[in-house]
Amino acid sequence: MSTYFIMKFFERTPIWYDRAIRWITFGKMADIRRSARSYFHPGQLVLDLGCGTGEWSLLAASQGAHVKASDTSPLMLQRAYSKACAASYGKHIHFAEQSLMELDNEPDKQYDVVITSLVLSECRKDEQAYALPHIARVLKPGGLWILVDEITPQDGVLALCIRCFRNTVLFFLRWMGVAVTHPLRICPADLEKLGFRIKHWQRLNAGTFLFCVAQKEAQ
Ligand SMILES: C[S@@+](CC[C@H](N)C(=O)[O-])C[C@H]1O[C@@H](n2cnc3c(N)ncnc32)[C@H](O)[C@@H]1O
């Protein structure tokens, strides 16, 4: 959550955003993207929700996928667009200024891969609850959901310490009227209830950061 303000600052100055993410995550986001490269293939249709400066979209397009990259921030989209223009495969990315809350406009079983990276935690709990079933709905049977985000830590002493620290900071931030992130409160069973099979579930940064790849059951 302390990263939220830093992140929000850099979302308003997107030219610095990629560098900031590299520093904040000690290069972990780049490592995660590298390890996810094999999930993208030529001809796939990919939806990158909250695409930001487009790093995931560019990765998917570099592997031959066709990407719809959506975000609510014109500044972030502009940055992503200029990066796409500079890459030979950038023409395979279609950008849309669109909210995750407009997912009901997407047809059923449309995409081979949906990416949500650091965006769901910027949404309120009710928005997360809205988005998750839609992500399942818009994926083709056998399609993949790549989910990278903040997550509430598991039980244990470390988790308790992190929760106490977080709740104290949150209390003061809310008191000051400042918006905060909403780390996901999900476990593999929740995704299974939505019709997913977990292919990869990895907690990083003392269990507060999730890299998950879930596959929609083939019907
Ligand atoms: C922390 S950035 C993550 C960007 C990128 N996905 C990444 O992994 O670097 C969060 C992005 O989500 C966008 N965002 C926040 N709420 C959104 C919503 N409801 N719908 C679509 N995008 C949203 C923000 O504008 C921002 O670009």
Side-chain angles (χ1 to χ4, degrees):
M1 139 275 312
S2 53
T3 57
Y4 183 73
F5 308 100
I6 305 170
M7 217 105 87
K8 278 284 151 202
F9 172 77
F10 286 110
E11 282 173 24
R12 284 188 201 108
T13 49
I15 194 130
W16 291 102
Y17 176 85
D18 293 333
R19 204 167 298 173
I21 283 286
R22 227 175 3 253
W23 292 334
I24 293 167
T25 67
F26 302 103
K28 262 189 200 125
M29 279 301 284
D31 292 343
I32 289 174
R33 273 196 300 271
R34 247 191 308 278
S35 66
R37 181 184 294 270
S38 60
Y39 294 118
F40 300 106
H41 304 292
Q44 279 179 330
L45 261 187
V46 173
L47 177 62
D48 184 4
L49 295 166
C51 65
T53 58
E55 284 294 303
W56 278 97
S57 297
L58 284 162
L59 171 69
S62 74
Q63 300 306 106
H66 295 270
V67 185
K68 176 173 176 182
S70 64
D71 202 290
T72 46
S73 161
L75 286 177
M76 292 294 259
L77 282 169
Q78 184 55 50
R79 177 76 186 138
Y81 180 70
S82 32
K83 282 160 72 178
C85 288
S88 56
Y89 41 81
K91 58 182 178 295
H92 297 302
I93 308 174
H94 162 72
F95 292 99
E97 190 179 327
Q98 222 170 54
S99 168
L100 210 91
M101 298 308 288
E102 294 169 71
L103 264 175
D104 47 335
N105 293 329
E106 294 288 345
D108 294 359
K109 302 177 185 174
Q110 174 86 343
Y111 294 98
D112 298 284
V113 183
V114 173
I115 303 160
T116 57
S117 170
L118 302 177
V119 60
L120 287 171
S121 58
E122 291 202 1
C123 298
R124 296 188 314 264
K125 297 280 171 202
D126 59 317
E127 293 173 328
Q128 293 176 6
Y130 161 88
L132 266 52
H134 279 294
I135 291 168
R137 181 184 60 77
V138 302
L139 271 170
K140 292 177 185 171
L144 297 180
W145 175 17
I146 297 178
L147 163 63
V148 180
D149 223 318
E150 282 184 74
I151 187 168
T152 48
Q154 277 166 313
D155 293 338
V157 177
L158 183 61
L160 196 66
C161 295
I162 293 172
R163 206 167 293 148
C164 285
F165 172 73
R166 184 183 155 82
N167 287 347
T168 311
V169 178
L170 280 182
F171 174 81
F172 285 107
L173 291 175
R174 286 208 184 99
W175 181 68
M176 289 156 61
V178 178
V180 292
T181 48
H182 308 277
L184 308 185
R185 198 177 274 275
I186 51 168
C187 62
D190 297 324
L191 300 193
E192 280 156 15
K193 268 186 223 144
L194 287 168
F196 287 101
R197 190 171 59 82
I198 307 297
K199 279 175 79 77
H200 184 88
W201 183 273
Q202 183 183 12
R203 279 177 177 268
L204 304 128
N205 291 358
T208 60
F209 198 71
L210 174 67
F211 169 35
C212 163
V213 181
Q215 182 164 40
K216 182 169 164 178
E217 296 287 357
Q219 284 148 3

